[in-house]
Amino acid sequence: MAQQKPRVAIQGIRASFHEEAAFKFFGEKITTIECNSFKQTFEKLQAKEADYVVMAIENSIAGSILPNYSLLLSYNFPVVGEVYLPIQLHLMALPGVKFEDVKVVTSHPIAIRQCVDFFDEFPHLKVVESSDTAACAKRIREEQLTDTVAIANTLAANLYDLEILERRIESNKKNFTRFLILTHHENAKTTGANKASLCFQVSNEVGSLAKVLNILAEEQVNMSKIQSMPVLGKRNEYNFYVDVEWEEQSRYDKAIRQILKYTHNFNILGEYLRYVEE
């Protein structure tokens, strides 16, 4: 019997950076489930209308995507992987359109922000923000807009048959986004995991967080990220989201057992393989 393609829910439409990240993690033999919001991707997973969610969690320029941390905790689906995607932004238009005839540039606000140096040279262009980079490319094709360019990726240019007028217009060429892969609990079987995403609270006392960090250091468990977010409706209470990496599973296990003594509402959001660039 033929293996069914994994159904992967993404925020945005086909040829968006989320689909590019999904291709990088799963290969191109997937069924992409387009969603209007990150919340909707989790709802598709909950309704078993998707097998996986691919969700951006941080960008090297724009920083952490804070609302997505709240979704991790409220839906409690396990993280089973991660992927880092270099963000390469190109200027694209209908074939035959010349840059000097362009009046409008359209893209996602974060993409626009990452190309400010380029647009400083062309102050006459009207900037229009949209919910999705690929949707801007699609609109140019569908509405045959000859005075508009989109900022998007190569996938979008290919899918919507647009011409790239200018490549790599992002200001920082080392710009990347980290995406998390989530699934149902019954799918979450990662062997040889060497990275985990944790969430916990500590008491509001001097040194309580330091105790947790010291335990990690003593067991040679590397903390690669820490993010704090206020607990809704509770003054001076914070959730700490921490990513940790390890070489020896036994030392990680020991660290977790000790951390439990100094934390409350402790959650392992997922244990998975650390992403290594091929």
Side-chain angles (χ1 to χ4, degrees):
M1 193 173 114
Q3 183 73 32
Q4 198 180 358
K5 287 182 185 176
R7 299 168 300 166
V8 183
I10 62 166
Q11 185 270 323
I13 68 169
R14 288 197 56 210
S16 63
F17 284 107
H18 274 83
E19 188 179 56
E20 195 176 339
F23 286 163
K24 196 166 183 182
F25 189 84
F26 294 101
E28 296 199 6
K29 290 185 176 166
I30 63 171
T31 300
T32 302
I33 312 286
E34 300 176 341
C35 299
N36 296 325
S37 65
F38 287 114
K39 188 173 190 287
Q40 195 182 13
T41 65
F42 280 83
E43 285 168 358
K44 293 283 184 190
L45 196 58
Q46 200 165 46
K48 299 281 175 90
E49 291 170 27
D51 305 306
Y52 296 93
V53 162
V54 172
M55 179 181 76
I57 198 71
E58 64 185 280
N59 175 268
S60 57
I61 294 171
S64 295
I65 303 166
L66 296 178
N68 290 359
Y69 281 97
S70 302
L71 287 172
L72 285 178
L73 205 55
S74 53
Y75 282 87
N76 198 29
F77 286 116
V79 179
V80 290
E82 64 175 359
V83 63
Y84 285 81
L85 187 70
I87 302 300
Q88 299 183 356
L89 297 165
H90 312 303
L91 205 63
M92 57 195 70
L94 286 172
V97 167
K98 291 187 170 55
F99 186 65
E100 52 264 32
D101 299 329
V102 170
K103 297 182 180 71
V104 178
V105 57
T106 175
S107 195
H108 187 280
I110 289 179
I112 291 165
R113 211 159 67 230
Q114 290 167 1
C115 301
V116 286
D117 293 351
F118 181 84
F119 291 110
D120 281 349
E121 297 175 41
F122 307 101
H124 66 283
L125 290 176
K126 184 186 175 189
V127 177
V128 177
E129 294 184 353
S130 167
S131 60
D132 187 67
T133 53
C136 296
K138 185 181 183 186
R139 185 170 157 255
I140 287 175
R141 165 56 55 194
E142 287 179 345
E143 298 180 21
Q144 291 289 297
L145 303 175
T146 55
D147 65 345
T148 303
V149 285
I151 305 169
N153 60 6
T154 311
L155 271 183
N158 293 341
L159 185 63
Y160 301 114
D161 194 25
L162 299 181
E163 207 167 77
I164 293 178
L165 300 180
E166 194 83 40
R167 288 186 181 276
R168 303 296 306 270
I169 65 167
E170 69 276 10
S171 303
N172 187 326
K173 303 299 187 235
K174 291 184 176 165
N175 178 14
F176 63 84
T177 296
R178 177 182 176 223
F179 297 81
L180 297 179
I181 317 298
L182 299 105
T183 190
H184 306 288
H185 285 275
E186 56 267 33
N187 283 354
K189 298 178 185 73
T190 306
T191 51
N194 56 9
K195 186 167 183 177
S197 293
L198 315 173
C199 181
F200 54 81
Q201 294 166 31
V202 293
S203 60
N204 190 19
E205 292 167 16
V206 172
S208 53
L209 180 61
K211 282 176 186 163
V212 173
L213 303 185
N214 284 336
I215 290 166
L216 293 174
E218 281 162 20
E219 295 304 328
Q220 295 184 352
V221 174
N222 177 44
M223 184 182 69
S224 58
K225 169 148 182 121
I226 183 166
Q227 179 73 51
S228 67
M229 281 188 69
V231 177
L232 280 177
K234 297 196 176 176
R235 199 164 68 88
N236 293 337
E237 286 193 35
Y238 292 86
N239 282 317
F240 289 96
Y241 295 87
V242 172
D243 289 336
V244 296
E245 303 172 0
W246 62 90
E247 299 300 328
E248 286 182 51
Q249 179 74 32
S250 60
R251 299 198 78 160
Y252 163 73
D253 293 340
K254 187 178 172 187
I256 294 297
R257 283 196 300 275
Q258 291 182 66
I259 285 170
L260 284 168
K261 299 173 195 168
Y262 300 104
T263 59
H264 53 279
N265 295 337
F266 182 91
N267 267 290
I268 296 177
L269 300 173
E271 296 173 340
Y272 48 95
L273 283 167
R274 181 171 69 239
Y275 176 73
V276 179
E277 188 65 69
E278 289 162 8

